[in-house]
Amino acid sequence: MRTSRTLIATVAGLCILGAIALPASADTQPSSTDPALDARIAAAVGKLDQLGADALVKTGVPGMAIAVVRGDQLLYAKGFGVRKAGTSDPVTADTVFQLASVSKSIGASVVAAAVGKGIASWQDRVMKYLPSFKLRDPYVTKTATIADMYAMRSGLPYQSGDVLEAIGYNRSEIMQRISTLPLSPFRLQHLYTNFGLTIGAEAVAAAAHKPWESLSEDLLYKPLGMTATSSTYVGFISHPNRTSLHVPINGTWQAIYTRNADAQSPAGGVSSNVLDLSKWMRMEMDHGRFGGAQIVGPKALAAAQTAQIRTTPVGDAATIPRWYGSGMAVSVDRTGQVRLTHSGAFSAGAGTTYIMAPASRLGIVVLANGLIGLPEAVAESFMDLVQTGSVSRDWFAVTKAAFGPIYDPNPQFTADKQPSNPSSDRELSNYVGTYSNDFFGKVTVTRLGTSLRVSMGPNKVVISLRHWTADQFVGLMGAGDFPYEFAVDFYGTRTRVTGLNLGFGSGNVEQLTRVA
């Protein structure tokens, strides 16, 4: 999970201020044949004030917001804490957060809306609308559909392209460069990739002859009245009531980083508030209807909500299976009801999640301005209360164990792993040169005093290297996101360095050949 620190979290099985609580309207209540469930939902909502307040105390995260819907009713919407640490600006239900990967689910609704209007089909091949689309396997290039890209079953490697975003490549450049990557077997494995999904979105935008960001406004945000929602970073920073991102530094949450996710907007670039997202959840659970209007075609929406590929390993009969639909995770809870969910995270300091139970038309969304699993813990605790009347476990401990290590040093390069004799037979000048491949382009290695530096990408991101052992060095990537360490392994003959390998911690190693 360290490729570009655009942390992706689809935790489908894990996974006090400015309050508003809207009263129920008799004619908008969903029909229910289970008074006990109604009572548990009411009791669970009644505990959210305390649950939210406790969440900030337990995690230290500066701020969060929660909304709950049932049927066509907004049961609860409230903000907790502050928008930025060290200030008194409160988080309210109107406060806008960056959604990170929850953007995928929002974007899937945009695609479904386009499909419902006949602009495109989930089963349309990407090449129909993007003739320049290319992956390494010609068969996959010709065959891959919009649905394949949204279900992340094209075979593209995990998080492919994220590192290119970190060093300054734009969306179209990244889409072109990932065509060089080796593929896993087509349609047999779910491999999480922001830019694979983005390709699917771009195909739909091309079919509509509009930029993706405009298409999202026209087909979803405007019809739903999501006036605080945007698919651009400019739209986010122009909102006066918005949060900052926070990371834990020496035990204190600090607003240090920013995150512009425009390159992968369909996958991670949406910003919104819980009030807008409550409208979206109500539409999702009412077969595309909202406010008496059919916003999204029901069949097209159902396709997005339906399991497309298994995400849990095959081979253990005791493993409860989970799946991915189109931009959202699909699972079954302990009561046998289908759950739709997705989490989102930026290691620069954002955590988001929602859970929807379509059978009871119940949904919760939780947005936070720090990443430690807080939204998942709150949402799971709430769903426990609805299902059984009590919280089944300490979800904060569960999610902290899952998310906390994100900020730990790379275990490969901790002091205790340092080789006892880290000497090298080469002079530093031997490593200086230009290296290249079709994925990264040119990478320049220079010498500054007694150390090496690497310059990468259109943004000329400069990374200092520290020697680890022999021909291996360690770089610290920090291009606008939380820094992480990665390996730089030079190779060659006894007399000349002929290439280098860049390993960014997600199992993907890129080999670059020396060209100068």
Side-chain angles (χ1 to χ4, degrees):
M1 289 202 181
R2 295 178 178 269
T3 301
S4 72
R5 302 306 286 182
T6 309
L7 176 70
I8 312 305
T10 50
V11 193
L14 286 179
C15 82
I16 312 197
L17 300 164
I20 66 169
L22 304 185
S25 171
D27 61 356
T28 60
Q29 283 277 40
S31 59
S32 175
T33 57
D34 188 349
L37 174 62
D38 296 340
R40 290 198 303 273
I41 290 173
V45 170
K47 294 179 180 180
L48 279 173
D49 279 6
Q50 190 62 54
L51 184 60
D54 289 347
L56 296 192
V57 172
K58 288 180 179 179
T59 64
V61 171
M64 63 179 291
I66 306 171
V68 175
V69 302
R70 188 163 192 232
D72 198 35
Q73 181 185 2
L74 177 61
L75 297 181
Y76 183 93
K78 184 173 182 177
F80 299 79
V82 295
R83 304 199 302 261
K84 183 176 182 180
T87 74
S88 59
D89 296 330
V91 172
T92 70
D94 296 291
T95 300
V96 173
F97 292 74
Q98 291 180 274
L99 301 187
S101 283
V102 168
S103 305
K104 294 175 174 64
S105 303
I106 306 298
S109 299
V110 175
V111 175
V115 171
K117 293 181 181 296
I119 295 171
S121 165
W122 283 109
Q123 298 308 319
D124 281 344
R125 297 182 180 185
V126 174
M127 281 196 75
K128 180 178 180 179
Y129 306 114
L130 298 177
S132 63
F133 169 67
K134 181 182 178 182
L135 295 180
R136 191 158 170 174
D137 185 322
Y139 174 78
V140 179
T141 299
K142 292 186 295 184
T143 309
T145 65
I146 294 166
D148 289 326
M149 308 314 290
Y150 261 85
M152 305 184 196
R153 62 189 183 198
S154 68
L156 277 168
Y158 173 70
Q159 290 189 348
S160 49
D162 285 6
V163 67
L164 298 182
E165 180 190 14
I167 60 177
Y169 285 104
N170 63 33
R171 187 183 307 173
S172 62
E173 290 169 333
I174 295 169
M175 288 168 55
Q176 182 272 322
R177 287 177 179 275
I178 62 177
S179 68
T180 66
L181 298 177
L183 301 178
S184 296
F186 185 42
R187 293 178 177 165
L188 292 184
Q189 186 178 7
H190 171 82
L191 291 168
Y192 202 98
T193 164
N194 289 305
F195 286 97
L197 182 143
T198 296
I199 288 170
E202 282 293 291
V204 177
H209 305 289
K210 289 184 178 181
W212 171 259
E213 294 75 11
S214 299
L215 188 67
S216 300
E217 284 280 349
D218 294 344
L219 295 189
L220 193 69
Y221 305 159
K222 289 179 181 177
L224 282 179
M226 298 172 69
T227 57
T229 303
S230 174
S231 290
T232 68
Y233 186 65
V234 168
F236 169 67
I237 61 174
S238 65
H239 202 289
N241 184 358
R242 69 181 187 277
T243 60
S244 298
L245 304 177
H246 295 84
V247 295
I249 304 294
N250 298 323
T252 301
W253 290 91
Q254 299 181 31
I256 296 177
Y257 302 102
T258 59
R259 179 69 170 89
N260 181 337
D262 280 354
Q264 54 161 280
S265 176
V270 178
S271 57
S272 188
N273 61 27
V274 295
L275 294 178
D276 277 6
L277 294 175
S278 73
K279 298 175 183 178
W280 171 76
M281 289 193 298
R282 288 153 62 189
M283 180 276 295
E284 285 277 323
M285 292 187 289
D286 195 18
H287 310 288
R289 294 187 294 267
F290 183 81
Q294 190 74 48
I295 307 300
V296 180
K299 290 184 179 180
L301 186 64
Q305 298 173 345
T306 301
Q308 302 292 330
I309 189 164
R310 181 170 172 149
T311 57
T312 46
V314 177
D316 184 352
T319 300
I320 298 173
R322 294 194 295 271
W323 304 267
Y324 205 74
S326 294
M328 63 175 58
V330 182
S331 61
V332 177
D333 67 20
R334 71 186 71 181
T335 70
Q337 284 196 27
V338 171
R339 274 193 183 188
L340 305 176
T341 184
H342 211 293
S343 288
F346 288 149
S347 62
T352 62
T353 201
Y354 70 84
I355 297 174
M356 294 188 288
S360 55
R361 292 181 63 191
L362 176 70
I364 180 170
V365 59
V366 186
L367 310 178
N369 56 15
L371 175 58
I372 198 170
L374 180 155
E376 291 79 9
V378 170
E380 292 289 350
S381 297
F382 174 80
M383 297 304 289
D384 275 355
L385 290 169
V386 168
Q387 291 173 347
T388 66
S390 62
V391 178
S392 65
R393 67 195 70 183
D394 183 353
W395 286 107
F396 290 94
V398 171
T399 58
K400 183 178 180 180
F403 288 97
I406 290 161
Y407 296 112
D408 290 344
N410 187 333
Q412 183 181 354
F413 299 118
T414 54
D416 61 309
K417 301 287 180 63
Q418 176 80 43
S420 57
N421 183 22
S423 63
S424 172
D425 293 334
R426 302 185 195 271
E427 295 291 334
L428 286 182
S429 58
N430 292 337
Y431 301 105
V432 173
T434 301
Y435 303 78
S436 179
N437 71 1
D438 291 337
F439 182 70
F440 272 101
K442 290 185 178 180
V443 170
T444 302
V445 178
T446 58
R447 178 177 179 175
L448 182 65
T450 58
S451 65
L452 296 178
R453 300 192 305 175
V454 173
S455 175
M456 297 190 293
N459 288 353
K460 304 297 182 186
V461 174
V462 176
I463 298 165
S464 295
L465 302 182
R466 62 186 176 95
H467 185 241
W468 187 251
T469 186
D471 285 334
Q472 185 174 66
F473 291 74
V474 179
L476 184 67
M477 175 72 83
D481 216 336
F482 191 83
Y484 66 97
E485 291 180 314
F486 65 97
V488 180
D489 292 294
F490 293 89
Y491 61 87
T493 66
R494 291 188 63 183
T495 58
R496 177 175 169 78
V497 174
T498 59
L500 63 83
N501 292 324
L502 294 177
F504 286 92
S506 61
N508 302 325
V509 177
E510 282 293 318
Q511 185 177 69
L512 288 79
T513 302
R514 186 169 189 165
V515 295

